[in-house]
Amino acid sequence: MEALRFQVVGEAFKKKPLDVKTPSERPYEYFGKKVFNREKMYKYLPKQVYEKMIDVMDNGARLDRDIADAVAAGMKQWAIESGVTHYTHWFQPLTEGTAEKHDSFIEHDGKGGMVEEFTGKLLVQQEPDASSFPSGGIRSTFEARGYSAWDPTSPVFIIDDTLCIPTVFISYSGEALDYKAPLLRALHAVNVAAVDVCHYFDPAVKKVTSNLGWEQEYFLVDEGLYAARPDLLLTGRTLMGHDSAKNQQMDDHYFGSIPERVAAFMRDLEIQALELGVPCKTRHNEVAPNQFELAPIFEETNLAVDHNMMLMSLMKKVARKHGFRVLLHEKPFAGINGSGKHNNWSLSTDNGILLHAPGKTPEANLRFATFIVETLMGVYKHNGLLKASIMSATNAHRLGANEAPPAIVSSFLGKQVSELLDHIEKADKDFLAMTGKQGLKMDIPEIPELLIDNTDRNRTSPFAFTGNRFEFRAVGSEANCASAMIALNSAVAEALVSFKKRVDAKIPEFEKKLAGTEHSAKYHAIIDVLREDIKTCKPIRFDGNGYSDEWVIEAEKRGLDVEKSCPKIFERYLDKESIDMFESLGVMTKKELEARNEVKWETYTKKIQIEARVLGDLSMNHIIPVATRYQSQLLKNVDSVSTVFPINKAEKLNARNLKIIEEIAERTSAIEKGVEELVNARKLANKIEGEHEKAIAYHDKVEPKLDEIRYQIDKLELIVDDALWPLPKYRELLFIR
């Protein structure tokens, strides 16, 4: 075993960067090369079909079946010219990954030969086995039928020799079994609600788009070292490993020079991602050793989610080509930064207005304040649900540690925006002055100059305002962004619907009060409701240190969700407020929510179960045998010293070895006892029938045993002969050669 460890470390040291063939064109020339985008549609579709597709994509028009054959024919022609032989419906089941079943174009021609066909029916709908994916009880083994249906708002793309068609995935009885279907519903809900509110300020607005810019953090580990760590291979994180003497404490990795092998990987990844239409913009070293980040330009949320899922799959494929393995686990290494996927979210109109950006006119700034406050209202009312949307067994290790935000949802606004909201809340009714068509005039002269950098940054804030958007920093690196975006867009949509209803109710009141004046009843009604909401959502605003113990106490006083147990956090999906919101907006039904929670609890249990089994095996088959072997060597040395030297001299010479022998005995005994307790706790938990109760048992009784065993193993790593230690250590894993 020791020979294997030193062999793989040596091989990692010898590896050279892979030569990446860079396209002769500039990036903008090959961007979208493998995507059936508007340019390809214009070329391969009849004019009337092209125009209909644009109407579907831009305006939400219904897709008629009668044009599906024409679209499929154009797609097939483009695909065959690109060397494609297969097609697949590409969807996002509740596994946190993607799914695909490849079918070839070939069919019998009726004459003993073959012909390549791809019809509108095959494009629009297929029938994956719904019982083989997580469904939370919606589908049983004997109820296998489910449907995947084409999402025309997300472009078809090519991976290798396969035409990939983004789709939703629903059960035979119509329930969503994926992330895309409820995401599309949530995006529709926030569009409708936001357009209604925008009409107070600009009646010309026809559509509001939810935008997303994710920042994907990840670790790279040499493939040989990864293969020599069964815990990394099977769980995605190191279940043991003592801190390296040097890790991130010198702050020398962040934004540092990118290692040559990594730079080659990044170039290759970017080229392939750009060809798939993923608008890669930023790449850099992150804070922890071997940690990096890739971020794209903002896109419409549905497309951004698809692109992130594509990229995570592509990263793994390209990394192996370069002799790496990508680690997307939120906390693969203890004691250093984990990885997040910061979701930068905003709303914008079809005429180019960012609704979370300050403007240069009083009316624009009232609109800005409205959308800031109603976003905070949604986040405040559903702060527990938003936490549940980003929580997982893996992300739980990251939250609240090493620059990651804590597991309490709050929002950082910064001094200027906070002062603006405080002013609106506290100012008396005469602080507004109306001046004809100029709209609303505020007596805050600096507000129109609030442009981009109107806030500082707060890395401990889970939901921070950053100038013209909110950054949902709590999302985990291996998560599907759709989970957080479904909850966030739904919460904001509900808040906007409520805001519009209350403003409309107040307008007649102010029309009577302001009769005969130039003052606008509409704007006074808006201000009146804003004042109410600013007071209501104030508990969610927090600009301080989210890591402090004082904040936990204060957050609980404010009525914020401070629960830390992952299985219990998932319960927020089934709160009456959550169910009412999702059902009223048409995003998800109670049945769908209950099913998803069953999946979440089951997934949590299985992840902890796998970690427990892996740690138990490594403890008994790797660590204890090696520790006792070293102990035996020391015992032989003690015997030899006692034979050669006089008793008094031998006692002095053997003192250190005897101390180590005793420590090894104590720690291996503690590990054996811990593994036995771990196995028993797992057996007891496995007897529990309900997924909810079983997940709680795994959290409360099984997971704590992992840390207890790890503590003993990490101490052994410091005293056992380095030549005997079987697993690559942190100092070897964390520094790319």
mmCIF file of all heavy atoms in Angstrom, residues 231-258:
data_model
loop_
_atom_site.group_PDB
_atom_site.id
_atom_site.type_symbol
_atom_site.label_atom_id
_atom_site.label_comp_id
_atom_site.label_asym_id
_atom_site.label_seq_id
_atom_site.Cartn_x
_atom_site.Cartn_y
_atom_site.Cartn_z
ATOM 1 N N ASP A 231 -12.316 7.311 -0.196
ATOM 2 C CA ASP A 231 -13.347 8.224 0.303
ATOM 3 C C ASP A 231 -13.692 9.286 -0.739
ATOM 4 O O ASP A 231 -14.861 9.603 -0.966
ATOM 5 C CB ASP A 231 -12.929 8.866 1.634
ATOM 6 C CG ASP A 231 -11.519 9.438 1.624
ATOM 7 O OD1 ASP A 231 -10.788 9.266 0.626
ATOM 8 O OD2 ASP A 231 -11.138 10.071 2.629
ATOM 9 N N LEU A 232 -12.681 9.834 -1.416
ATOM 10 C CA LEU A 232 -12.952 10.787 -2.491
ATOM 11 C C LEU A 232 -13.724 10.120 -3.622
ATOM 12 O O LEU A 232 -14.674 10.681 -4.174
ATOM 13 C CB LEU A 232 -11.640 11.358 -3.047
ATOM 14 C CG LEU A 232 -11.034 12.577 -2.357
ATOM 15 C CD1 LEU A 232 -9.751 12.989 -3.063
ATOM 16 C CD2 LEU A 232 -12.011 13.740 -2.339
ATOM 17 N N LEU A 233 -13.304 8.932 -3.963
ATOM 18 C CA LEU A 233 -13.904 8.200 -5.073
ATOM 19 C C LEU A 233 -15.383 7.911 -4.826
ATOM 20 O O LEU A 233 -16.215 8.036 -5.736
ATOM 21 C CB LEU A 233 -13.142 6.885 -5.282
ATOM 22 C CG LEU A 233 -13.535 6.010 -6.461
ATOM 23 C CD1 LEU A 233 -13.146 6.665 -7.764
ATOM 24 C CD2 LEU A 233 -12.851 4.644 -6.347
ATOM 25 N N LEU A 234 -15.743 7.548 -3.595
ATOM 26 C CA LEU A 234 -17.098 7.085 -3.303
ATOM 27 C C LEU A 234 -18.007 8.136 -2.676
ATOM 28 O O LEU A 234 -19.226 8.009 -2.757
ATOM 29 C CB LEU A 234 -17.027 5.863 -2.378
ATOM 30 C CG LEU A 234 -16.325 4.632 -2.973
ATOM 31 C CD1 LEU A 234 -16.189 3.544 -1.923
ATOM 32 C CD2 LEU A 234 -17.075 4.109 -4.188
ATOM 33 N N THR A 235 -17.433 9.166 -2.052
ATOM 34 C CA THR A 235 -18.279 10.166 -1.385
ATOM 35 C C THR A 235 -18.048 11.586 -1.886
ATOM 36 O O THR A 235 -18.855 12.468 -1.582
ATOM 37 C CB THR A 235 -18.038 10.168 0.141
ATOM 38 O OG1 THR A 235 -16.765 10.765 0.437
ATOM 39 C CG2 THR A 235 -18.081 8.754 0.704
ATOM 40 N N GLY A 236 -16.966 11.829 -2.606
ATOM 41 C CA GLY A 236 -16.687 13.171 -3.092
ATOM 42 C C GLY A 236 -15.926 14.038 -2.122
ATOM 43 O O GLY A 236 -15.549 15.165 -2.437
ATOM 44 N N ARG A 237 -15.679 13.532 -0.899
ATOM 45 C CA ARG A 237 -14.914 14.306 0.078
ATOM 46 C C ARG A 237 -13.979 13.401 0.863
ATOM 47 O O ARG A 237 -14.142 12.170 0.877
ATOM 48 C CB ARG A 237 -15.838 15.054 1.032
ATOM 49 C CG ARG A 237 -16.507 14.203 2.120
ATOM 50 C CD ARG A 237 -17.377 15.062 3.010
ATOM 51 N NE ARG A 237 -18.032 14.313 4.084
ATOM 52 C CZ ARG A 237 -17.713 14.408 5.378
ATOM 53 N NH1 ARG A 237 -16.717 15.192 5.768
ATOM 54 N NH2 ARG A 237 -18.383 13.717 6.288
ATOM 55 N N THR A 238 -12.995 13.999 1.524
ATOM 56 C CA THR A 238 -12.071 13.237 2.357
ATOM 57 C C THR A 238 -12.707 13.048 3.733
ATOM 58 O O THR A 238 -12.991 14.022 4.433
ATOM 59 C CB THR A 238 -10.724 13.974 2.507
ATOM 60 O OG1 THR A 238 -10.975 15.320 2.953
ATOM 61 C CG2 THR A 238 -9.988 14.020 1.184
ATOM 62 N N LEU A 239 -12.915 11.822 4.118
ATOM 63 C CA LEU A 239 -13.518 11.524 5.412
ATOM 64 C C LEU A 239 -12.482 11.515 6.523
ATOM 65 O O LEU A 239 -12.821 11.375 7.698
ATOM 66 C CB LEU A 239 -14.220 10.163 5.357
ATOM 67 C CG LEU A 239 -15.362 10.053 4.347
ATOM 68 C CD1 LEU A 239 -15.906 8.630 4.309
ATOM 69 C CD2 LEU A 239 -16.467 11.041 4.677
ATOM 70 N N MET A 240 -11.207 11.647 6.144
ATOM 71 C CA MET A 240 -10.114 11.723 7.114
ATOM 72 C C MET A 240 -8.983 12.500 6.469
ATOM 73 O O MET A 240 -8.928 12.665 5.251
ATOM 74 C CB MET A 240 -9.645 10.322 7.510
ATOM 75 C CG MET A 240 -9.128 9.504 6.333
ATOM 76 S SD MET A 240 -8.789 7.781 6.739
ATOM 77 C CE MET A 240 -10.454 7.142 6.898
ATOM 78 N N GLY A 241 -8.065 12.961 7.266
ATOM 79 C CA GLY A 241 -6.927 13.698 6.743
ATOM 80 C C GLY A 241 -6.596 14.878 7.633
ATOM 81 O O GLY A 241 -7.422 15.767 7.837
ATOM 82 N N HIS A 242 -5.378 14.886 8.154
ATOM 83 C CA HIS A 242 -4.945 15.985 9.017
ATOM 84 C C HIS A 242 -4.575 17.194 8.169
ATOM 85 O O HIS A 242 -4.154 17.064 7.020
ATOM 86 C CB HIS A 242 -3.741 15.552 9.873
ATOM 87 C CG HIS A 242 -3.533 16.417 11.083
ATOM 88 N ND1 HIS A 242 -2.896 17.634 11.021
ATOM 89 C CD2 HIS A 242 -3.890 16.244 12.388
ATOM 90 C CE1 HIS A 242 -2.859 18.168 12.219
ATOM 91 N NE2 HIS A 242 -3.459 17.341 13.072
ATOM 92 N N ASP A 243 -4.745 18.380 8.758
ATOM 93 C CA ASP A 243 -4.372 19.615 8.054
ATOM 94 C C ASP A 243 -2.946 19.541 7.538
ATOM 95 O O ASP A 243 -2.052 19.012 8.214
ATOM 96 C CB ASP A 243 -4.458 20.815 9.009
ATOM 97 C CG ASP A 243 -5.885 21.170 9.353
ATOM 98 O OD1 ASP A 243 -6.802 20.623 8.723
ATOM 99 O OD2 ASP A 243 -6.079 21.997 10.261
ATOM 100 N N SER A 244 -2.752 20.109 6.356
ATOM 101 C CA SER A 244 -1.389 20.308 5.879
ATOM 102 C C SER A 244 -0.779 21.471 6.657
ATOM 103 O O SER A 244 -1.493 22.403 7.048
ATOM 104 C CB SER A 244 -1.408 20.639 4.382
ATOM 105 O OG SER A 244 -0.141 21.050 3.948
ATOM 106 N N ALA A 245 0.529 21.416 6.906
ATOM 107 C CA ALA A 245 1.184 22.513 7.626
ATOM 108 C C ALA A 245 0.945 23.841 6.914
ATOM 109 O O ALA A 245 0.764 24.885 7.528
ATOM 110 C CB ALA A 245 2.682 22.235 7.744
ATOM 111 N N LYS A 246 0.920 23.780 5.601
ATOM 112 C CA LYS A 246 0.594 24.969 4.797
ATOM 113 C C LYS A 246 -0.667 24.655 4.009
ATOM 114 O O LYS A 246 -0.742 23.646 3.320
ATOM 115 C CB LYS A 246 1.730 25.312 3.823
ATOM 116 C CG LYS A 246 1.426 26.514 2.925
ATOM 117 C CD LYS A 246 2.559 26.745 1.926
ATOM 118 C CE LYS A 246 2.313 28.002 1.098
ATOM 119 N NZ LYS A 246 1.106 27.928 0.266
ATOM 120 N N ASN A 247 -1.669 25.515 4.133
ATOM 121 C CA ASN A 247 -2.837 25.380 3.263
ATOM 122 C C ASN A 247 -3.145 26.748 2.658
ATOM 123 O O ASN A 247 -2.441 27.190 1.756
ATOM 124 C CB ASN A 247 -4.028 24.747 3.994
ATOM 125 C CG ASN A 247 -4.307 25.357 5.353
ATOM 126 O OD1 ASN A 247 -4.450 26.572 5.484
ATOM 127 N ND2 ASN A 247 -4.394 24.521 6.384
ATOM 128 N N GLN A 248 -4.164 27.452 3.184
ATOM 129 C CA GLN A 248 -4.505 28.739 2.582
ATOM 130 C C GLN A 248 -4.120 29.933 3.452
ATOM 131 O O GLN A 248 -4.449 31.074 3.118
ATOM 132 C CB GLN A 248 -6.008 28.806 2.304
ATOM 133 C CG GLN A 248 -6.884 28.795 3.548
ATOM 134 C CD GLN A 248 -8.363 28.736 3.228
ATOM 135 O OE1 GLN A 248 -8.799 27.951 2.401
ATOM 136 N NE2 GLN A 248 -9.144 29.588 3.877
ATOM 137 N N GLN A 249 -3.401 29.680 4.550
ATOM 138 C CA GLN A 249 -3.182 30.750 5.512
ATOM 139 C C GLN A 249 -2.309 31.886 4.991
ATOM 140 O O GLN A 249 -2.342 33.004 5.514
ATOM 141 C CB GLN A 249 -2.623 30.205 6.834
ATOM 142 C CG GLN A 249 -1.202 29.649 6.782
ATOM 143 C CD GLN A 249 -1.186 28.158 6.563
ATOM 144 O OE1 GLN A 249 -1.894 27.666 5.696
ATOM 145 N NE2 GLN A 249 -0.396 27.443 7.337
ATOM 146 N N MET A 250 -1.515 31.635 3.942
ATOM 147 C CA MET A 250 -0.657 32.688 3.399
ATOM 148 C C MET A 250 -1.389 33.558 2.371
ATOM 149 O O MET A 250 -0.831 34.550 1.880
ATOM 150 C CB MET A 250 0.577 32.065 2.741
ATOM 151 C CG MET A 250 1.475 31.289 3.681
ATOM 152 S SD MET A 250 2.109 32.301 5.035
ATOM 153 C CE MET A 250 3.141 33.453 4.139
ATOM 154 N N ASP A 251 -2.619 33.192 2.012
ATOM 155 C CA ASP A 251 -3.416 33.943 1.025
ATOM 156 C C ASP A 251 -2.681 34.104 -0.304
ATOM 157 O O ASP A 251 -2.869 35.098 -1.019
ATOM 158 C CB ASP A 251 -3.777 35.341 1.567
ATOM 159 C CG ASP A 251 -4.596 35.271 2.835
ATOM 160 O OD1 ASP A 251 -5.474 34.395 2.918
ATOM 161 O OD2 ASP A 251 -4.355 36.093 3.747
ATOM 162 N N ASP A 252 -1.853 33.122 -0.645
ATOM 163 C CA ASP A 252 -1.031 33.244 -1.845
ATOM 164 C C ASP A 252 -1.633 32.553 -3.067
ATOM 165 O O ASP A 252 -1.121 32.682 -4.167
ATOM 166 C CB ASP A 252 0.373 32.687 -1.592
ATOM 167 C CG ASP A 252 0.367 31.254 -1.066
ATOM 168 O OD1 ASP A 252 -0.712 30.777 -0.662
ATOM 169 O OD2 ASP A 252 1.435 30.625 -1.044
ATOM 170 N N HIS A 253 -2.721 31.815 -2.864
ATOM 171 C CA HIS A 253 -3.328 31.118 -4.004
ATOM 172 C C HIS A 253 -4.404 31.964 -4.675
ATOM 173 O O HIS A 253 -4.538 31.947 -5.901
ATOM 174 C CB HIS A 253 -3.932 29.788 -3.544
ATOM 175 C CG HIS A 253 -4.356 28.901 -4.675
ATOM 176 N ND1 HIS A 253 -5.675 28.735 -5.038
ATOM 177 C CD2 HIS A 253 -3.644 28.147 -5.537
ATOM 178 C CE1 HIS A 253 -5.754 27.906 -6.070
ATOM 179 N NE2 HIS A 253 -4.538 27.534 -6.379
ATOM 180 N N TYR A 254 -5.143 32.727 -3.889
ATOM 181 C CA TYR A 254 -6.260 33.516 -4.415
ATOM 182 C C TYR A 254 -5.775 34.522 -5.462
ATOM 183 O O TYR A 254 -4.907 35.350 -5.203
ATOM 184 C CB TYR A 254 -6.937 34.249 -3.258
ATOM 185 C CG TYR A 254 -8.243 34.911 -3.623
ATOM 186 C CD1 TYR A 254 -9.251 34.219 -4.274
ATOM 187 C CD2 TYR A 254 -8.478 36.245 -3.291
ATOM 188 C CE1 TYR A 254 -10.461 34.820 -4.596
ATOM 189 C CE2 TYR A 254 -9.687 36.854 -3.605
ATOM 190 C CZ TYR A 254 -10.665 36.142 -4.261
ATOM 191 O OH TYR A 254 -11.858 36.745 -4.585
ATOM 192 N N PHE A 255 -6.341 34.420 -6.659
ATOM 193 C CA PHE A 255 -5.992 35.285 -7.788
ATOM 194 C C PHE A 255 -4.511 35.168 -8.184
ATOM 195 O O PHE A 255 -3.978 36.047 -8.865
ATOM 196 C CB PHE A 255 -6.308 36.754 -7.477
ATOM 197 C CG PHE A 255 -7.766 37.100 -7.636
ATOM 198 C CD1 PHE A 255 -8.748 36.128 -7.627
ATOM 199 C CD2 PHE A 255 -8.152 38.414 -7.784
ATOM 200 C CE1 PHE A 255 -10.091 36.455 -7.769
ATOM 201 C CE2 PHE A 255 -9.497 38.757 -7.937
ATOM 202 C CZ PHE A 255 -10.468 37.771 -7.925
ATOM 203 N N GLY A 256 -3.861 34.110 -7.714
ATOM 204 C CA GLY A 256 -2.451 33.922 -8.063
ATOM 205 C C GLY A 256 -2.287 33.424 -9.488
ATOM 206 O O GLY A 256 -3.254 33.207 -10.225
ATOM 207 N N SER A 257 -1.052 33.227 -9.874
ATOM 208 C CA SER A 257 -0.750 32.701 -11.204
ATOM 209 C C SER A 257 -1.333 31.299 -11.333
ATOM 210 O O SER A 257 -1.128 30.448 -10.472
ATOM 211 C CB SER A 257 0.765 32.673 -11.416
ATOM 212 O OG SER A 257 1.080 32.097 -12.665
ATOM 213 N N ILE A 258 -2.079 31.049 -12.404
ATOM 214 C CA ILE A 258 -2.740 29.761 -12.595
ATOM 215 C C ILE A 258 -1.707 28.707 -12.985
ATOM 216 O O ILE A 258 -0.944 28.918 -13.935
ATOM 217 C CB ILE A 258 -3.828 29.864 -13.678
ATOM 218 C CG1 ILE A 258 -4.890 30.881 -13.245
ATOM 219 C CG2 ILE A 258 -4.481 28.508 -13.938
ATOM 220 C CD1 ILE A 258 -5.919 31.199 -14.310
#
